[in-house]
Amino acid sequence: MISLRYWPSLTNIFLILAFAQSLVCAEKPPADQLTKYALVITGGELLKGIYADSHTFFITRALEPIGCQCVFSLSVGDVREDLLDALNYAGAHADLIITTGGLGPTDADVTRNALMEFTGIPLRENPEVVKEMQRRFGTPLRENMRRQARTPEKGGYMANPNGTAAGLIFDDGKRVVAALPGPPGELQPMATNQLIPFLSKRFGLRAIGVSVAMRFVGVGESSIDQTIHEHLTLPSDLSIAYQFDQGRVDLTFSVPGNSEEDRKRLKALEAELLKYLKEYMYADDGSTLEECAIGLLEKQGGTLVTAEVGTGGGVAASLNNVDGAARRFTGGYVAPSNAAMAQRLGLEGDLPANEQTSQEAAALENAKRACRHNDSEWSISISELYKEENGDPCVWAAVGSMKKGFKTQRMTLRGRGKSAQDRLVTQVLDLFRRRIIE
């Protein structure tokens, strides 16, 4: 029986791998074939919308580097029959199944017994697990706690130093089912420290190809796609993936090979695409738009202050999360109206009467005064929200520096609530990015 224990050191992980390899005799997939797996995420709270499924996101990203490819993810409630249906469907499409949740001590935790029924592999109380639980929780163990010490006769278990339920591995030599606990604080370290080393040896590491990821702002996914197909000659083995989020588009080119020649091919494709879209790409190294903004300030040795009305401090909040922001982001002013912002910056009475109602003028003057008031080179100012004659909600943004001058731009809000605010923050940061590199 494989006993996968929690080892924090790299040396001990390698010892685990060698031990697992000596005991697992099943055939591995060919060296050039990815290991395909299915996810079964359990929990009635997911289906009721109480919690979002964060496990699929974490597991798929964690397993991709070792050549494991998720073919689908199913969410199912804590009902034995439903879970068995999901397992049967998963088993028809993949030889590796990973489940999450349902391993706890309550009657609602049905995963353990459902997996025994599905795999036909009996569960037996494991003395090692019992001993560890007694060490941590004392004796005698309650019966419902002791239930969590049952592990598969064929396969093994993964110790859980962050909770009570051990992870389970059912392995009949042909198919593997790995069961992880549901709480993220237990699942994530178990997957990282124990499941990944086991799978690496059980199925072998695979070359997963090479990719280049480009991040764009200010241009839509459809425009990028049209440019690609009009101007690029695409190799037959190229895969293209898009991800769109609040006005930002991530584009990934991938090929199955992993050689230096493959990397050169992708960089050549990127260079060709940038002949048409260079102004819109802000990063190809994984940096966020916020990190790009702070990086440009760092490069120029400049500082930035914000004065926000219509964005409610959203720009400042997004920049505050960036490493190194404290050196370049000197602060932000937030007010509920143009008049309140003007008063806060000492602008009351400075504008002519006919400009007091001008959103553009207010944004511009607030930007200039914020620079002087805060002794900062660069500033971003957002006016209060107003409606155009056609009913569209808009703001005016002013971005610039005392040396290079300021530019203003009217921005229309799209969507509602936080989504609209996030898109607006993206527009403002893009305006700043473009202004600082001019």
Side-chain angles (χ1 to χ4, degrees), residues 248 290 294 306 308 311-322 325 329 331-334 418 422 425 429:
R248 310 180 193 193
E290 289 78 8
I294 295 298
T306 59
E308 301 178 70
T311 44
V315 175
S318 69
L319 292 173
N320 258 337
N321 293 324
V322 177
F329 180 49
Y333 299 90
V334 181
K418 187 176 185 303
D422 289 344
V425 168
L429 289 175

Side-chain angles (χ1 to χ4, degrees), residues 342-398:
Q343 190 173 35
R344 190 156 298 174
L345 295 173
L347 271 168
E348 190 172 19
D350 285 356
L351 293 177
N354 65 337
E355 291 186 14
Q356 289 282 5
T357 57
S358 168
Q359 303 294 335
E360 182 180 10
L364 181 59
E365 290 304 317
N366 284 340
K368 293 177 180 178
R369 184 58 65 93
C371 277
R372 294 191 292 264
H373 199 268
N374 208 56
D375 194 26
S376 185
E377 180 183 358
W378 291 87
S379 68
I380 294 173
S381 174
I382 314 297
S383 78
E384 65 187 45
L385 188 67
Y386 71 100
K387 287 190 176 182
E388 291 283 351
E389 292 182 0
N390 62 4
D392 287 343
C394 300
V395 298
W396 274 92

Side-chain angles (χ1 to χ4, degrees), residues 129-317:
V129 180
V130 172
K131 184 177 180 180
E132 177 62 17
M133 292 178 69
Q134 289 174 334
R135 184 190 69 80
R136 293 175 60 198
F137 305 110
T139 56
L141 288 174
R142 296 191 304 273
E143 184 58 34
N144 61 350
M145 287 283 286
R146 204 175 186 103
R147 183 189 312 163
Q148 298 174 101
R150 299 168 65 212
T151 63
E153 287 188 352
K154 294 180 181 179
Y157 74 95
M158 297 174 283
N160 185 0
N162 302 292
T164 61
L168 306 177
I169 293 178
F170 296 80
D171 187 353
D172 62 6
K174 295 182 179 180
R175 178 173 56 198
V176 173
V177 182
L180 299 169
E186 300 175 30
L187 179 148
Q188 293 182 11
M190 184 181 291
T192 300
N193 298 317
Q194 300 181 70
L195 180 62
I196 288 176
F198 167 73
L199 294 178
S200 298
K201 278 296 181 180
R202 174 60 174 81
F203 294 97
L205 289 169
R206 300 285 178 271
I208 58 170
V210 65
S211 63
V212 58
M214 294 159 276
R215 315 198 95 168
F216 295 90
V217 63
V219 62
E221 179 181 331
S222 61
S223 295
I224 297 173
D225 191 68
Q226 181 176 346
T227 302
I228 289 172
H229 288 90
E230 284 183 355
H231 299 287
L232 271 62
T233 300
L234 303 178
S236 59
D237 61 346
L238 181 73
S239 296
I240 302 176
Y242 291 96
Q243 182 176 347
F244 178 84
D245 184 31
Q246 309 304 344
R248 310 180 193 193
V249 180
D250 288 355
L251 166 67
T252 303
F253 286 160
S254 303
V255 293
N258 200 13
S259 66
E260 184 61 29
E261 182 60 32
D262 291 317
R263 292 181 176 85
K264 289 180 179 179
R265 285 199 297 148
L266 290 182
K267 294 305 289 184
L269 280 173
E270 177 185 2
E272 187 67 20
L273 180 61
L274 293 187
K275 290 180 181 179
Y276 309 95
L277 298 175
K278 183 177 181 179
E279 66 175 299
Y280 302 107
M281 192 183 84
Y282 63 88
D284 63 358
D285 60 357
S287 298
T288 65
L289 185 56
E290 289 78 8
E291 289 169 338
C292 174
I294 295 298
L296 289 169
L297 287 166
E298 193 82 61
K299 185 176 180 179
Q300 296 189 6
T303 55
L304 171 69
V305 62
T306 59
E308 301 178 70
V309 180
T311 44
V315 175

